């Protein structure tokens, strides 16, 4: 009876952390798609007073946070067009402890910037539309998927 218990304990100790890490990675990929890609671009009701105010209320609700992010990037391009840049990410970004890459193409995007310091319940954002190349964090070195936007180029 002891060997199966020992085997089970061994599997939990060895495989447990790997499974948790994989789940966190899959969640990061899913969140990237949900929070950073808006294609085709959604139109928010006038009551939101602009695209970024509507989008950021969704982002804050999705993240279940009252915190007002200072900046948020939203891409207006198909997932497949962005995903391909993480297929081979040779660079390792030590500051983020992840592989990263710079896109070769520019993408249409909206930069949502917090207008000024405000109480957490009344975040107001300004929108800037632009076309730029992206610094992406990737889920691994090869055959990866984007997990965050760390800057613009």
């Amino acid at each position: 009876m002891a060997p199966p218990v020992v085997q089970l304990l061994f599997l939990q100790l060895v495989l447990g952390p790997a499974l948790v890490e994989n789940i966190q990675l899959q969640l990061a990929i899913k969140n990237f798609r949900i929070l950073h890609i808006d294609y085709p671009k959604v139109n928010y009701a006038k009551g939101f007073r602009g695209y970024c105010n509507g989008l950021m209320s969704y982002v804050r609700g999705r993240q279940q946070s009252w915190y007002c992010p200072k900046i948020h990037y939203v891409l207006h391009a198909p997932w497949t067009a962005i995903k391909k840049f993480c297929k081979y990410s040779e660079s390792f970004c030590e500051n983020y402890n992840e592989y990263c890459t710079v896109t070769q193409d520019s993408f249409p995007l909206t930069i949502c910037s917090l207008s000024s310091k405000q109480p957490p319940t009344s975040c107001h954002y300004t929108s800037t539309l632009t076309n730029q190349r992206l610094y992406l964090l990737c889920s691994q070195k090869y055959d990866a998927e984007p997990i965050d936007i760390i800057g613009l180029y």
Side-chain angles (χ1 to χ4, degrees), residues 5-142:
V5 172
V6 172
Q7 288 175 345
L8 181 61
L9 182 60
F10 174 77
L11 288 174
Q12 286 179 335
L13 291 173
V14 172
L15 296 179
L19 292 174
V20 169
E21 187 175 307
N22 188 38
I23 290 169
Q24 290 173 338
L25 192 57
Q26 292 305 315
L27 185 59
I29 293 166
K30 181 180 176 182
N31 281 338
F32 181 89
R33 290 182 75 168
I34 291 170
L35 300 177
H36 293 284
I37 297 183
D38 184 18
Y39 181 81
K41 188 177 175 184
V42 171
N43 291 316
Y44 288 95
K46 289 183 181 183
F48 283 109
R49 290 188 264 150
Y51 175 79
C52 281
N53 288 318
L55 178 83
M56 293 308 292
S57 67
Y58 173 75
V59 167
R60 290 174 60 216
R62 179 87 184 157
Q63 293 176 337
Q64 298 180 352
S65 172
W66 288 105
Y67 170 72
C68 301
K70 291 182 182 177
I71 195 160
H72 188 80
Y73 304 110
V74 187
L75 303 169
H76 307 296
W79 168 248
T80 53
I82 297 154
K83 178 183 172 181
K84 69 180 181 181
F85 290 101
C86 280
K87 188 155 181 75
Y88 303 106
S89 21
E90 295 292 332
S91 299
F92 188 79
C93 292
E94 290 184 20
N95 291 351
Y96 297 93
N97 201 30
E98 301 283 353
Y99 285 92
C100 54
T101 190
V102 177
T103 62
Q104 295 170 349
D105 301 335
S106 293
F107 290 99
L109 71 133
T110 299
I111 303 169
C112 297
S113 304
L114 189 61
S115 295
S116 62
K117 291 186 178 183
Q118 302 167 36
T121 56
S122 62
C123 305
H124 294 308
Y125 289 87
T126 58
S127 301
T128 305
L129 291 168
T130 185
N131 281 311
Q132 290 191 253
R133 294 169 60 192
L134 312 168
Y135 285 106
L136 296 174
L137 283 184
C138 301
S139 58
Q140 57 192 17
K141 188 171 185 174
Y142 299 117

